[in-house]
Amino acid sequence: MGFVDYQAEGMVGILTINRPAALNALNSGVLDDLNAALDGVDVNEIRALIITGAGDKSFVAGADIAEMSALTKEEAEAFGRKGNDLFLRIESFDIPVIAAVNGYALGGGCELSMSCDIRICSDNAVFGQPETGLGITPGFGGTQRLARLVGMGMAKQMIYTARNIKADEALRIGLVNAVYPQAELMPAAKKMAEGIARNAPIAVANAKKAINDGYQVSIEEGAAIEEELFGDCFETHDQKEGMGAFLEKRKEKIFTNN
Ligand code: CAA
């Protein structure tokens, strides 16, 4: 596919944003291709997805500034909606999504990584929301997800100052879970994805839904969401397999995704 490559390795899918001449910046074509690539992920077979960028310099250097520069208010709103719809889709995708941030994650790139369930990065990664320096606000979810991830104060500081941060600071503020030398990033992402893929897929999906949906509501409503999704697991084969294996002291477990 044009700007996005998709590769399946066993039960792990890898989406690579491939527009290196523009540091993988998100123009409309990249957004469309990413959306289409998600359509192609068979979530019955694939149990965890990795999103990364082509090359060793940039994950995604933001939304495409050249494309945005002449937009009208209405066109900018539509462009924002296009990015937001895609990132909301990633956030609620049926299987966990890991951002393997292999370099610049600026503006829309930082926002893309934040729509993923988990972020890990290479030691040359740079995160930031530079938009106010361009005369705009973050437009693909940055004003919403950054505060949820790193807290209101740090999010406001990053967005108002438009200052980029390096991998070690991203780790310190909890924006990423781990930092690796560049060559070790994809092996680490795959290892994590394979670890997820070994667990019961319906349980993982229900856990993702419970965390995401519960985060938006009161703790009481969140508990009710959890109870229902917890209960649903007890109608699955994989619950019987997982608990049966424990009780029978059996190491081998075969989760069939039903
Ligand atoms: N949009 C369009 N093109 C971009 C781009 C972007 N966000 N980022 C990089 N490019 C292009 C450059 O224009 C350049 O193209 P040419 O070779 O044709 O001139 C090419 O990628 C390489 O970039 P640089 O020469 O600038 O590379 P560098 O190593 O000197 O700098 C960088 C790297 C610091 C990441 C720099 O490219 C940069 O600052 N990019 C812009 C980052 C940014 O501001 N991102 C936020 C965009 S706004 C946004 O994302 C809004 C939103 O929330 C929806």
Side-chain angles (χ1 to χ4, degrees):
M1 200 166 308
F3 290 122
V4 179
D5 301 328
Y6 177 60
Q7 198 186 334
E9 290 185 14
M11 292 188 287
V12 175
I14 303 167
L15 285 176
T16 306
I17 298 169
N18 193 357
R19 195 191 170 208
L23 302 183
N24 305 324
L26 303 171
N27 62 12
S28 299
V30 179
L31 296 176
D32 287 339
D33 287 357
L34 198 45
N35 215 3
L38 290 172
D39 291 338
V41 178
D42 180 355
V43 291
N44 294 312
E45 293 296 324
I46 299 298
R47 296 185 180 179
L49 188 64
I50 298 169
I51 299 183
T52 193
D56 56 10
K57 186 173 172 184
S58 183
F59 174 68
V60 165
D64 191 298
I65 298 170
E67 180 174 333
M68 284 185 296
S69 60
L71 296 182
T72 63
K73 171 182 163 60
E74 289 73 22
E75 289 166 342
E77 276 182 24
F79 189 60
R81 198 172 314 117
K82 191 179 175 83
N84 271 335
D85 286 350
L86 173 61
F87 290 4
L88 286 164
R89 183 180 180 199
I90 292 170
E91 188 169 64
S92 60
F93 205 57
D94 287 334
I95 55 175
V97 185
I98 300 167
V101 178
N102 57 309
Y104 289 114
L106 301 177
C110 187
E111 292 166 312
L112 170 60
S113 79
M114 292 191 293
S115 73
C116 299
D117 294 281
I118 295 164
R119 283 151 297 289
I120 59 175
C121 74
S122 54
D123 50 12
N124 67 331
V126 177
F127 292 81
Q129 297 290 160
E131 287 89 348
T132 57
L134 294 163
I136 60 173
T137 59
F140 289 170
T143 60
Q144 306 306 305
R145 290 194 183 89
L146 188 57
R148 284 170 164 83
L149 280 169
V150 304
M152 183 89 86
M154 187 55 77
K156 285 181 170 173
Q157 180 178 323
M158 283 179 66
I159 291 171
Y160 300 168
T161 65
R163 187 179 68 83
N164 294 340
I165 61 170
K166 293 183 178 163
D168 56 347
E169 193 173 351
L171 180 66
R172 187 178 60 76
I173 66 172
L175 187 53
V176 295
N177 292 5
V179 182
Y180 299 91
Q182 179 76 255
E184 291 170 26
L185 176 65
M186 282 311 286
K190 287 180 195 174
K191 192 170 170 205
M192 186 187 291
E194 283 158 6
I196 292 169
R198 273 194 291 278
N199 292 325
I202 295 170
V204 171
N206 281 13
K208 171 167 177 167
K209 194 167 167 45
I211 295 167
N212 280 359
D213 293 359
Y215 208 75
Q216 318 293 332
V217 298
S218 71
I219 186 77
E220 290 81 8
E221 290 168 288
I225 290 169
E226 182 185 77
E227 285 154 24
E228 190 181 340
L229 290 161
F230 176 69
D232 283 352
C233 295
F234 287 77
E235 292 189 320
T236 65
H237 160 274
D238 287 349
Q239 175 265 334
K240 294 179 182 36
E241 172 68 6
M243 292 195 169
F246 176 80
L247 294 172
E248 292 157 22
K249 303 196 186 305
R250 173 163 53 87
K251 233 180 162 188
E252 181 74 7
K253 288 179 278 191
I254 300 171
F255 290 128
T256 56
N257 197 9
N258 56 46

